[in-house]
Each structure stands twice: as C-alpha cells, then as structure tokens.
Amino acid sequence: MSSRWIRNGLIYLIITVIVAALFYNVYSASTSLSPVPITTVAQDIRDGRVSKILVSGEELRITRTSGAEVISRKEPGADLTQVLTNLGVTQEMLNGITIEIQSPSEWGSWLAIFSSFLPLLLIGGLLLFMMRQAQSGNSQAMAFGKSRARVFSSDQPTVTFEDVAGVEEAKQELSEIVEFLQEPDKFSALGARIPKGVLMVGPPGCGKTLMGRAVAGEAEVPFFSISGSEFVEMFVGVGASRVRDLFEQAKQNCPCIVFVDEIDAVGRHRGAGLGGSHDEREQTLNQILVEMDGFDTDTNVIVMAATNRPDILDPALLRPGRFDRRVVLDLPDRLGRQAILEIHAKGKPLADETDLGVIAKQTPGFSGADIESLLNEAAILAARRDKKAIEMEDLQEAVERVIAGPERKSRLISDEEKEIIAHHEAGHALVMASLPGCDPVHKVSIVARGMALGYTMPIPEDDRYLKQRSKFEDELAGLLAGRAAEELVFEDVTTGASSDLERATLLARKMVTEYGMSEKLGPLTFGHKQELVFLGKEIGEQRNYSEDVARTIDEEVRRLITEAHETALRILRENKDKLLDLAKKLIEVESLEGPELEAMFA
Ligand code: ADP
Ligand code: MG
Ligand code: ZN
C-alpha cells in the first residue's frame, strides 16, 4: 500500500470520527433535555405515578402513568434498586413498575470515548499530515540522512566520449575503466587488481564533471553522482551517513560508477580544520575511505572523483588502493579548442564563411566551459541582430565579450578623455607591433568594455608553454607603452595606466623571484608560498630570505620596469608620427583590426 493511500485513509477516518462525535453529542444533548433529580423519581414512585423505568447505563428513562416521559440519572455503577431503597422506596412500591435494563449500545460508548479523545486525535492527525507534506514536497527536512545521490540510469541518453574533446590522453586512460566495467572477467582472470578509484584533476571548466558522465555513458552503467559540498550539512554525522547510503545504493546496482564531484570539500588534509580534529568533514572523509576499503575484489563499483585542488587533498585518499589513478584534464590546446568549438556548434546554424579554426586561434587559455559560453554568446548576439545564422562577426564579438565583458557604448567619454585613451592604446599597439617578443596585435579599440576604457588585443601565434626572458622583457615594454605614450604626447600622466602598471610589476616580480631571471640574484626562487587551507591564498607567504636580498629583489624589479619603460619611450619617440596617426584614426573609427591595422604599422 502506498503512503498516499495511508495518508488519504487517515484523513477520511479523522473526518468520519469528527462528524460522528459531533452527531453523538447533539443527539445525547437532545435526549437529555431536562433530567430530573433521582429524589424526584423516588417521590414519584412512592406516589405510584411511575409505570416503567428504562435503565441504560447511568441514564434512566422514566415513563409516568400519565404517559409522559422524563429522564434522570443515577450514580454510575450503582444498583438502581439499592439507590431507590435508600431513598425510601420499598420492594412493594416497585412491583407494579416494569424495570428494563438496556446495556448501553456499543456504538454509543465508542463515540463517547472518541469524543473525549477528539482534541488529541485532531492534533495528532494534523501533525502527521504536516510531516507527510514536508516529505513529499521539496523540503528535505525529514530526510536529511538519505544521500542525495541521483541515479542516471543507463537507459537515459547520456554523454559519451564523443562529446568531450581536447583531452585525448585522459580519454585513453579512462577507456581502460570503461573496458573493465564492461568485461570485468577479462581482467580478474589474469589476477589484475582493478582500480577502485580514479581522481580527475584539472582547472575549473575543463570538463571533469562531463568526463565522469561520459565514462558512465560509454560503459552503459548507472552513474551515482554527488558533490562534495552536499556531504557537508548542518547536522553532525549526516555526511558520514550519506556516504554509507550512497555506497549501499551503489553496491546494489553494480557494476556502476560513483562520482564524487568537488571532493576537495570533504577530502582536505585531516586535522587542518581550525575547529579541531573532530570535524564533520573528517568523519565524512573517513567514511569514504572505509567504504572504499570495504569493497570486495569482485564488486564492480568504481569511484571517480574530481577536484581542481589536488594539492590540498588528504594523502590517505591518494595511496594505492584508493584513488590511485590520476587523470589530468588540462586546458585545451588550439586543436582541442577547435574540436570543442565544433562539438558545441552542433545544433547552432553557422554561416558558411565562419572559420572555427580562426576562433580557436584567438582563444588561448579558454577552457571548455569558456568556449561553450562563447558559442552561446555568439548565438544570442546573432539572434538579437535578427540573423538566420551565426556569422564570423558574432563569434569575434563573443570572444571579446568573454575576455573583457560586454561593450559599454553608453558610457559618456569627453573628447579630451578620448584623445588620451586613443594615444594610450595607440602606444600599446605600436610598441607591441615593433617588438618581436610581443604577440601580434589583433585589434585596438577605444570602446569601453567591462572595466577597461580601451584595449589592445594581442593574439598569440600559438599556445606557448615556455617563455624566454627576452619575451618577458618585450611584454613589459608593451604593458608600459600606454603610459609612455601619454607622457610623450601630453607631458602628463593619468590614472588610466594603473592596471597596466600592476600587471607589469607582478610580472617583473615573478621574473625575479620565481623564474630566476635576474642575473644579480641568480637562478634561485625566493619566498615559499604555502597555501593555508583555511586562510585563503597567499596570505601565508613565508619569507625565506634576508633583508638584504629583499632590497636586491626590489632593486631588480625596479630595474626591469625602468628598462622596459625606456624601451617603450624610445620606440614611441622614433615613431611619433605613426603614433599620432594611429591615435587620430582611432578617434575617428573607434576600433581598428586586421589588414587596416597592419597598414598603419607599415
Ligand atoms: P569542470 O567539472 O571541470 O569544472 P564541467 O565538466 O562542468 O567542468 O564543464 C562545464 C561545461 O563546459 C560542460 O558542460 C561542457 O559543456 C563544457 N566543456 C568543458 N570541457 C569540455 C570538453 N573538453 N569538451 C567539450 N565540452 C567541454
Ligand atoms: Mg565540475
Ligand atoms: Zn593600457
């Protein structure tokens, strides 16, 4: 019987009882209109005016010789004859009277009982009803111990490896897992110990969650997924019970995949919490470890987990027999980006002239999620422009939107400010174009976008994993060129360069302290960054060098910046007419790109 049935039955029962009880009360009230005292009854009997007495429990119904009826009551449980005798009625006087004893009806006494319990019943019923309501609704108030793992059963159309691109190595490693889930016997016959846990590591948005589902989709097995933060609850001990529940469910459905997303929420170094060692997170983590160890070798449950912070995970999670496989999902390279673009472009009509290869080239550093949102932005833009297909122009604009935020055409900029911004951006563009270490300039614009008043967009030739010192030095010059142009043209400086300066300083400092690119200090690193788990990033930087070295670092940083600034100034001085031309053109057309821009540099 379903709980729904029970609930409805209960409600009907309660209603019936209420109605019956009310009816009973009204009925008995009407029959006991004016009970006369028993002494009056005794007097009547002595006077010979009574012909019949009907006894029903404590109620007496007396019929007079005149035919009239009255009602009276006696003590409950007392014997009527005894009571009357006490009141001076003799046996002879009773002889002419019919005394009928009627046992009180079952129905009536039941009703009496119910009616006295009525308030209690009402409250209880209401409570029950509320509890059911709470459970059946979205509110989980009464079900906090149950795991929130969702089941994606295999008959649902799920994601497959086809839908994930740009992570070929990861796919290869995970296809081993798929094979195992499909044919476990093949492996166990050779005595191979099956990996129990796979940890997927990588920056946010590069497809870890997607990959987890794709493995389940490929293997066509059920997929139980829960996010680490869902284990951490208001109630102590709930996390651990959720883990137990989740694995219980998984074992009943094996072969299957248990996917713990964002495992860093529970899997941090134990004992790292500020609240002492017995914290909730730790219990949950312990329970995960216990469950993973508890699998028999023939349980085909594979635990997959994802995190973007493998560095803070508890070492116990990573030892063999637990999450011993690590699969790295990194940001996609150019070909990868193109493949991801193609995946997400499916179902979106693209105009014939669009070239996703060009877009892939323009988007180094984009994650899969960025690319997805890029295509979505492009589709929105195209729709707002009432187009039937997405054109190259929309895609380009979407790239800029994702990088720098939407254009802010409404921002009012005075002509004087426009002059300054134009010269500033022209300075960036010119210096970047003339230094070999800088990426080619793709676009210059003085339309405000996001927080920036104008921007110069360089496009790397290709993804780069190593950078030379000379390249960094050129980059620094490019960053400082905006400020240098302002100085050169207006002999004054503005606040417009503050974020350029910040980036330049950061880069110069990294060159000295992290990359060992200062000759004076040699190939050493300085400062030991220890990310304290609960104190946030970089608060805990430890200084492992002397005051003297600190001074030298500052000097070196300053030297790099000054030299870059001088380089920028020199280039701009030598090309001052070009700078002025470019700025003038920018004020006129607001943004320049492609061949037009190249013509200006020639
Ligand atoms: P993560 O879990 O690593 O933070 P997700 O798996 O949630 O990232 O990715 C978010 C979205 O980005 C996915 O739903 C997918 O649409 C897109 N995406 C990310 N990486 C890829 C990829 N390699 N191939 C295709 N789409 C991707
Ligand atoms: Mg994710
Ligand atoms: Zn600038």
Side-chain angles (χ1 to χ4, degrees):
M1 193 153 57
S2 73
S3 64
R4 192 187 171 77
W5 253 97
I6 298 176
R7 191 176 89 201
N8 286 349
L10 251 160
I11 292 171
Y12 289 134
L13 187 72
I14 290 170
I15 292 174
T16 318
V17 168
I18 292 171
V19 170
L22 282 176
F23 180 74
Y24 174 74
N25 274 349
V26 171
Y27 167 78
S28 53
S30 76
T31 53
S32 57
L33 261 177
S34 50
V36 296
I38 189 94
T39 42
T40 319
V41 177
Q43 186 61 51
D44 284 353
I45 294 174
R46 274 190 255 117
D47 296 349
R49 272 185 282 150
V50 171
S51 65
K52 185 181 167 193
I53 300 174
L54 183 70
V55 185
S56 162
E58 59 199 75
E59 201 180 280
L60 308 174
R61 193 174 285 250
I62 296 115
T63 316
R64 294 228 173 96
T65 43
S66 62
E69 272 192 358
V70 291
I71 278 170
S72 180
R73 289 184 175 281
K74 68 173 175 70
E75 301 266 301
D79 179 35
L80 179 65
T81 340
Q82 192 61 53
V83 173
L84 291 176
T85 314
N86 289 349
L87 291 171
V89 177
T90 56
Q91 194 60 43
E92 293 84 63
M93 292 175 190
L94 284 175
N95 274 346
I97 300 169
T98 343
I99 296 182
E100 236 177 82
I101 300 193
Q102 190 185 56
S103 62
S105 77
E106 290 267 301
W107 177 227
S109 62
W110 271 116
L111 279 182
I113 292 170
F114 268 128
S115 66
S116 57
F117 280 113
L118 192 65
L120 254 174
L121 269 172
L122 270 175
I123 292 170
L126 209 72
L127 221 87
L128 231 125
F129 183 73
M130 269 161 57
M131 258 163 72
R132 300 256 159 198
Q133 204 66 353
Q135 266 175 356
S136 62
N138 277 337
S139 146
Q140 297 280 318
M142 300 297 166
F144 47 79
K146 287 265 176 235
S147 95
R148 290 207 204 127
R150 294 163 291 262
V151 184
F152 294 89
S153 62
S154 46
D155 51 19
Q156 268 175 269
T158 23
V159 203
T160 63
F161 282 163
E162 297 262 289
D163 303 293
V164 193
V167 281
E168 295 313 313
E169 293 83 5
K171 264 195 219 174
Q172 230 154 44
E173 282 202 44
L174 289 170
S175 54
E176 210 174 274
I177 303 289
V178 172
E179 243 180 275
F180 159 67
L181 282 166
Q182 284 171 337
E183 305 173 82
D185 305 337
K186 197 169 94 183
F187 292 83
S188 50
L190 291 176
R193 187 173 58 77
I194 304 308
K196 277 184 194 161
V198 181
L199 183 66
M200 286 188 292
V201 182
C206 59
K208 299 182 293 296
T209 309
L210 187 69
M211 198 58 151
R213 302 193 56 191
V215 172
E218 282 286 317
E220 298 178 335
V221 297
F223 181 67
F224 297 89
S225 96
I226 191 162
S227 169
S229 56
E230 284 175 81
F231 285 130
V232 185
E233 279 281 329
M234 191 163 55
F235 304 104
V236 176
V238 170
S241 88
R242 264 204 188 134
V243 173
R244 228 173 287 130
D245 223 66
L246 173 65
F247 280 82
E248 199 54 49
Q249 247 189 71
K251 274 183 228 161
Q252 282 163 11
N253 286 288
C254 72
C256 70
I257 290 176
V258 170
F259 183 64
V260 186
D261 210 351
E262 322 272 339
I263 197 174
D264 39 293
V266 285
R268 301 192 150 153
H269 277 272
R270 279 170 295 182
L274 292 178
S277 59
H278 271 286
D279 87 355
E280 165 76 351
R281 223 178 253 124
E282 216 165 276
Q283 285 182 24
T284 309
L285 175 57
N286 283 337
Q287 191 63 38
I288 293 179
L289 298 180
V290 165
E291 293 286 350
M292 286 183 79
D293 288 345
F295 285 157
D296 304 331
T297 33
D298 57 340
T299 319
N300 299 340
V301 178
I302 288 190
V303 184
M304 293 181 79
T307 178
N308 41 29
R309 298 292 310 276
D311 51 318
I312 62 165
L313 287 185
D314 195 287
L317 270 176
L318 304 174
R319 69 142 241 242
R322 284 164 184 168
F323 291 102
D324 44 2
R325 290 288 168 102
R326 276 217 208 187
V327 175
V328 179
L329 294 172
D330 213 344
L331 291 177
D333 57 11
R334 185 165 58 80
L335 290 176
R337 287 194 299 271
Q338 186 164 352
I340 297 173
L341 275 166
E342 272 154 20
I343 287 175
H344 289 288
K346 263 182 224 151
K348 294 191 175 74
L350 292 183
D352 290 338
E353 36 87 38
T354 53
D355 185 350
L356 293 178
V358 173
I359 301 295
K361 205 169 169 188
Q362 288 177 5
T363 49
F366 272 42
S367 68
D370 290 332
I371 293 174
E372 190 194 4
S373 96
L374 180 157
L375 278 166
N376 191 43
E377 287 286 340
I380 290 172
L381 281 170
R384 276 176 46 191
R385 291 167 180 165
D386 293 324
K387 290 181 190 168
K388 289 275 168 289
I390 300 169
E391 288 169 12
M392 203 60 184
E393 164 196 23
D394 308 314
L395 287 167
Q396 299 275 13
E397 164 108 41
V399 172
E400 287 170 48
R401 266 186 176 222
V402 173
I403 293 177
E407 276 187 4
R408 294 170 62 179
K409 288 211 169 104
S410 61
R411 183 178 254 190
L412 281 180
I413 290 170
S414 68
D415 285 348
E416 192 198 344
E417 276 178 327
K418 230 180 205 175
E419 286 264 329
I420 299 173
I421 297 166
H423 284 92
H424 178 110
E425 296 305 331
H428 279 307
L430 254 185
V431 171
M432 283 185 193
S434 35
L435 288 172
C438 286
D439 296 319
V441 179
H442 169 71
K443 178 172 182 177
V444 195
S445 168
I446 57 167
V447 178
R449 194 179 269 287
M451 293 294 289
L453 290 171
Y455 60 97
T456 304
M457 196 161 107
I459 294 293
E461 294 279 62
D462 224 324
D463 300 281
R464 220 179 263 270
Y465 303 102
L466 289 174
K467 287 187 173 183
Q468 297 95 336
R469 179 166 68 188
S470 58
K471 188 167 162 34
F472 278 132
E473 283 165 354
D474 289 358
E475 238 169 71
L476 279 179
L479 281 171
L480 291 162
R483 160 64 63 103
E486 288 178 34
E487 281 170 56
L488 198 67
V489 178
F490 303 102
E491 286 169 355
D492 197 356
V493 290
T494 65
T495 51
S498 68
S499 81
D500 293 340
L501 299 183
E502 198 182 320
R503 277 170 62 194
T505 314
L506 197 73
L507 176 58
R509 187 161 268 280
K510 271 196 171 169
M511 287 170 69
V512 176
T513 61
E514 280 178 41
Y515 308 146
M517 286 179 175
S518 149
E519 266 147 36
K520 215 166 175 182
L521 286 159
L524 294 174
T525 68
F526 301 94
H528 174 65
K529 286 217 182 66
Q530 190 190 36
E531 283 185 16
L532 290 181
V533 181
F534 287 98
L535 292 182
K537 267 189 165 168
E538 301 200 0
I539 283 182
E541 198 195 33
Q542 272 175 14
R543 212 178 185 199
N544 56 0
Y545 44 83
S546 66
E547 275 311 317
D548 247 11
V549 173
R551 193 167 303 124
T552 319
I553 291 174
D554 290 343
E555 271 166 26
E556 284 294 281
V557 171
R558 179 166 317 216
R559 182 183 60 81
L560 283 169
I561 299 276
T562 322
E563 279 177 14
H565 185 225
E566 266 154 26
T567 312
L569 266 179
R570 180 175 50 79
I571 294 170
L572 292 177
R573 242 185 235 122
E574 283 165 11
N575 298 286
K576 192 163 177 189
D577 42 341
K578 265 189 203 165
L579 174 70
L580 296 178
D581 273 358
L582 184 55
K584 207 168 128 205
K585 185 94 185 168
L586 269 178
I587 292 168
E588 217 177 283
V589 299
E590 295 204 330
S591 52
L592 273 172
E593 61 188 311
E596 258 182 298
L597 190 60
E598 269 157 39
M600 298 292 303
F601 293 142

